[in-house]
Amino acid sequence: MSSLSISPFVSGRGRELFTFRLRRWSHCRVTVALPTLAMNITADQQFIYLVTKMDAVEGAAQSPQPASDDSQRQRQRDDPTRNRYAGQRPINPERLKDFGEDEYVGKDVKTWELTVTGHSETLLNTGQDVTAYKASRSPEPCTRQAPFEDIRTAAFKIQHGIQKTPCTYSRLSKQYGMEIYLKKEYLHHTGSVKERGVWYLLTSLSQEQQRKGVILASDNDFSKAVAHHATELHVPVFIILSANTPPGRVKTCREYGAMVITYGSGAEESRSHAQKLATENGYLYLQEEDSTPYLAGLGTMGLEVYEQVNKLDAVILPAGGQRHILAGAAAPIKHLNPGITIIGVVPENYPTLQQSLGVGPTMKESAYTSHRFYGELFNSSFGSSTCQMSEELIDKVVTVKEADILVSMLRLMEYERATVDATGAIGLAAVIAGKLPELKGKRVVIAVCSGNVDVPLMRACLDRALVLDNRMCKFSIQMCDNTGDLAKLLEVLTREEVRVLDVIQERSFVTSDIFSIKVTSVIEVRDRSQMVQVERTLRERYTNFTWVERAED
């Protein structure tokens, strides 16, 4: 008989599946005694078991007689331990090395997945009683931060539904004097890190609840992620939006596969209608709150950051309405290395995180209205769990101006070819604004968490950012209305190698002289130094010269 020494190192809610990693033996039969294992596991959990040693069986050194292909296929079909999930991709040893002993991960390791038969329903009950959720509520909120074991389990399970995003060195590092690595979460299918938490949350639901479906009333990144992954998992999904929701957002949710219903004139009426439908039809009403599966799924980003960047000094995360990202991603990083600095960044106009920690100015609730630019960063309410986690995990909170966020969006587009929204750009904005001088020379990861921005809004943001960056300028000159005078002005601009974007001539409203005109021009320059040179040249040539718009120094 073979003697096995088995130790579990990953656990979590999943299928009735046990995976054994056997060393050197390519031909063996493993018998699983379910009652014996049931003493060491919690209800309905998926385990990975690492075989540390195995005694030789009689005749193990001898190679088995080769069998014909037909007999092998027949034996595989009749084998009760044959894995019915054999079509899935094998476990990547690189992903497992942080979950177990490195010495067991080698080229001579082979993987078997065995389906355990027996009294699974009595011995492996559902670990999280999702059937107990009320139809009109989201999953029960957690009272503490997501346990590291839950995050580690989520990281293992979401491999089948969520891609691992890159965390790459940025060319912006030299410009700001620190080693900057960008965690590119905007590369997810829906352009948001929230896919991680949503996928794990949906797969944690009971089969009965998945069959009935889910319903929500929002048009943010969370609802887009739910629409996409619920469709992929064959879970009916309904989204209730107000009648004044932009048509483009309605179209996007429908393209992701959701059944979209427009109801009411505002968000409050839409939520009430969604909760009513959930109660009447047995749907699960979902909203972004402090549920353990959701936070554990978001925490996988922090786990990946720790894997991808060695000798990490600090991590910059968006806060505000993204408090779940901050709380979820910071938990595994602080668990693995408490010395890593966690920094949260919030908009200066809406410092919701600082208020929850009692260090920011108090704002009236009426000040929090729908904001088109801040989007996911805009939220006035903090769950008790996320507030508590913020106090425990965050080392520093900084605020940034809207101008800093706009310039950050411009930098990411120019240097990283990344089209991101305010949520994705706010982390880099803290570096651009000079709010983190202590990170000079340090190795820093900035989470770029979202890339969902409307085209018209993106155009307006980039135009404004060019002005703030002293690269788009506007001036006016009052000059004589003589033939060739305007051509001479354009010749001056040509010699200065600037790009003329717009020229407007105005005659009717010029009151100083009937033979004078006012020429207003918008130009684009390379940088601030060229802007100063153009301004100096024009002031020397024209006496009646006005620099209409210029960024503050």
Side-chain angles (χ1 to χ4, degrees), residues 483-503:
T483 304
D485 283 354
L486 181 59
K488 292 178 181 178
L489 171 62
L490 295 178
E491 288 178 4
V492 173
L493 297 177
T494 301
R495 286 196 299 269
E496 295 295 333
E497 298 180 348
V498 300
R499 182 186 177 194
V500 180
L501 302 178
D502 193 14
V503 177

Side-chain angles (χ1 to χ4, degrees), residues 410-464:
L410 178 63
R411 293 283 186 272
L412 288 170
M413 174 167 283
E414 288 183 323
Y415 285 82
E416 299 295 332
R417 300 298 181 262
T419 304
V420 301
D421 55 14
T423 303
I426 194 170
L428 180 61
V431 176
I432 293 175
K435 296 294 185 72
L436 302 170
E438 68 275 13
L439 298 183
K440 293 289 185 180
K442 300 293 184 65
R443 183 168 294 182
V444 182
V445 168
I446 299 176
V448 186
C449 292
S450 178
N452 292 314
V453 57
D454 298 334
V455 174
L457 177 60
M458 187 65 191
R459 180 178 179 180
C461 290
L462 292 179
D463 287 344
R464 181 60 178 161

Side-chain angles (χ1 to χ4, degrees), residues 107-407:
K107 295 180 180 179
D108 57 343
V109 175
K110 296 190 177 183
T111 302
W112 281 263
E113 294 185 352
L114 309 181
T115 301
V116 179
T117 59
H119 303 286
S120 60
E121 294 186 1
T122 57
L123 295 175
L124 298 176
N125 293 326
T126 303
Q128 184 179 359
D129 189 12
V130 292
T131 59
Y133 297 159
K134 296 181 181 179
S136 60
R137 294 187 58 192
S138 295
E140 292 294 334
C142 63
T143 57
R144 298 285 294 175
Q145 66 189 46
F148 180 71
E149 287 297 325
D150 290 347
I151 298 174
R152 195 168 60 175
T153 302
F156 174 75
K157 294 180 67 177
I158 68 172
Q159 297 177 87
H160 301 289
I162 300 294
Q163 65 176 341
K164 185 175 182 178
T165 57
C167 188
T168 57
Y169 181 80
S170 174
R171 291 195 298 125
L172 292 165
S173 301
K174 296 180 180 179
Q175 187 172 346
Y176 297 105
M178 61 185 73
E179 292 186 53
I180 298 177
Y181 289 80
L182 299 179
K183 181 60 174 171
K184 300 180 179 180
E185 290 295 301
Y186 62 90
L187 295 178
H188 286 294
H189 188 80
T190 62
S192 172
V193 64
K194 294 186 179 182
E195 285 194 27
R196 296 176 178 271
V198 165
W199 190 91
Y200 193 54
L201 175 61
L202 292 174
T203 55
S204 299
L205 301 178
S206 66
Q207 291 185 356
E208 177 64 19
Q209 191 59 68
Q210 290 180 1
R211 183 187 63 82
K212 291 182 179 178
V214 297
I215 189 170
L216 59 161
S218 61
D219 63 342
N220 53 16
D221 290 350
F222 179 77
S223 62
K224 294 174 184 175
V226 172
H228 170 64
H229 287 292
T231 303
E232 292 291 314
L233 296 169
H234 305 289
V235 177
V237 54
F238 305 89
I239 299 180
I240 312 300
L241 299 177
S242 60
N244 57 5
T245 303
R249 298 186 182 182
V250 176
K251 178 184 177 183
T252 300
C253 292
R254 284 176 177 160
E255 288 177 346
Y256 283 134
M259 173 67 71
V260 180
I261 302 172
T262 56
Y263 182 90
S265 57
E268 195 63 38
E269 294 182 14
S270 299
R271 283 193 291 266
S272 300
H273 188 62
Q275 292 172 355
K276 178 182 177 182
L277 292 177
T279 304
E280 294 175 351
N281 300 280
Y283 306 139
L284 177 64
Y285 178 68
L286 288 180
Q287 58 183 355
E288 192 176 6
E289 59 179 22
D290 304 340
S291 64
T292 300
Y294 184 63
L295 291 177
L298 292 176
T300 61
M301 181 186 72
L303 203 58
E304 287 185 7
V305 166
Y306 190 81
E307 292 177 7
Q308 293 169 322
V309 182
N310 297 323
K311 299 179 181 179
L312 182 60
D313 295 309
V315 178
I316 302 177
L317 299 168
Q322 296 285 340
R323 61 196 184 279
H324 301 95
I325 298 175
L326 182 65
I333 296 174
K334 280 294 188 181
H335 176 87
L336 294 169
N337 187 352
I340 297 177
T341 304
I342 303 296
I343 301 172
V345 188
V346 295
E348 188 178 74
N349 296 338
Y350 308 99
T352 52
L353 178 58
Q354 287 186 314
Q355 292 172 36
S356 68
L357 299 177
V359 297
T362 302
M363 297 180 66
K364 296 181 180 180
E365 187 68 21
S366 59
Y368 295 99
T369 56
S370 177
H371 200 289
R372 184 184 172 196
F373 175 68
Y374 288 114
E376 303 293 315
L377 291 170
F378 188 83
N379 197 312
S380 61
S381 61
F382 274 73
S384 58
S385 296
T386 51
C387 182
Q388 184 179 20
M389 282 183 270
S390 299
E391 295 177 354
E392 296 175 355
L393 300 174
I394 299 176
D395 298 298
K396 184 176 182 179
V397 181
V398 297
T399 60
V400 293
K401 298 179 180 179
E402 182 177 296
D404 300 323
I405 300 176
L406 291 170
V407 174

